[in-house]
Each structure stands twice: as C-alpha cells, then as structure tokens.
Amino acid sequence: MSQDELRYHRAHADLHAPFGNDAFGVLAERLARFFGTPRYILAQTFVVILWLAFNGYVALHYLTTKAFDPYPFILLNLACSTQAAYAAPLILLAQTRQAARDKATEVADAKHREDLSERALEQGRQIQELIRQNTELTQAVHDLTEKVHNLVAKGRT
C-alpha cells in the first residue's frame, strides 16, 4: 500500500511557480513578496524622510531653491507614484496566482481525503468480514468442544 501521497498535487505542479519558471517570473515574485515586508516599508520611509530633510535643509539654509527637488517635492511624488504603479500589478498578480495555487491544493486535498475515506470504508468492511469469520470459527470451536465434552461424558458413564 505504498502509494504516492502527493499524486493528487502533481497535476497542479505548474501552478506552484508563482509567475512561471522564467527569470521574469522569479524576479516578479521576489519583488511582490518584498514590497509587503516591514524592511521595505521602513526603508522607503527612511528614504522619504532623508529626501524631505535634505531638500528642506537646503531650502531653509540657503533661502533659495538650490535643492534638487524643492517643495512641493514633485520628483519624490513621481518616484513614489512610479514605484506604486509597478508594485500594485505585481502584488495583484501574486495574489491571483496564490489564489489559483490555493484552489488547486484544496481540490487535490479533497480528492486525497475522499481516497482516504474510501480506504477507511474498505478497511471497515474487511474488519467486519474478519469479525464474522472469527465468530463462525468461535462458534465451530464451541460446537466441537461441546461434542468432545459429550463424548467424554458418555465414555465415563
């Protein structure tokens, strides 16, 4: 009974490479995962604070617009908007692919549970048959024991 326990999942192996197996897919998955991490959020916050501090310091210190991105920080806004424009589709694509993987895993798990249930029912039927055979044998032993007892009892009288 050494069946492959992953046999129901192998049919969906193509879904387990989130964006495919090519270089773009691997890079896209890494980026999508990185965008949601605390490290990324803290790093982006740090860069924005540095950007604002440097440009604010230059603007106040020199009382001119020598800062490379003076208030209202249009270049910073453009950089953040561009990053968001690329990050959002990657994150949505990752979520869509994850949903497909989850669905395929759910279907495979359901098939596996059904197979296990059928095996358990078959084993239950086998146990019932063995109990029936055991009961018949026990009854036959009981009958033979009674016959032997009667023969021995008759021989004494």
Side-chain angles (χ1 to χ4, degrees), residues 123-137:
Q123 288 173 350
R125 286 190 286 271
Q126 289 173 351
I127 289 172
Q128 282 180 333
E129 179 60 24
L130 290 172
I131 289 172
R132 187 191 63 73
Q133 290 174 2
N134 187 29
T135 303
E136 289 175 0
L137 289 172

Side-chain angles (χ1 to χ4, degrees), residues 40-122:
Y40 172 76
I41 294 169
L42 291 174
Q44 186 175 21
T45 302
F46 182 71
V47 168
V48 169
I49 289 171
L50 283 178
W51 188 291
L52 295 175
F54 176 77
N55 282 288
Y57 172 77
V58 169
L60 287 175
H61 188 317
Y62 295 109
L63 296 176
T64 63
T65 59
K66 290 185 180 182
F68 64 90
D69 187 22
Y71 182 82
F73 310 112
I74 294 171
L75 187 58
L76 176 63
N77 187 14
L78 177 64
C80 289
S81 296
T82 303
Q83 181 272 331
Y86 281 99
L90 288 176
I91 292 168
L92 289 174
L93 185 57
Q95 288 176 340
T96 302
R97 293 288 295 166
Q98 184 61 46
R101 286 193 301 269
D102 290 346
K103 180 66 177 171
T105 300
E106 180 183 322
V107 167
D109 287 345
K111 287 180 182 177
H112 185 74
R113 282 190 305 272
E114 184 178 320
D115 185 43
L116 289 176
S117 176
E118 288 174 7
R119 277 197 259 165
L121 288 173
E122 179 60 31

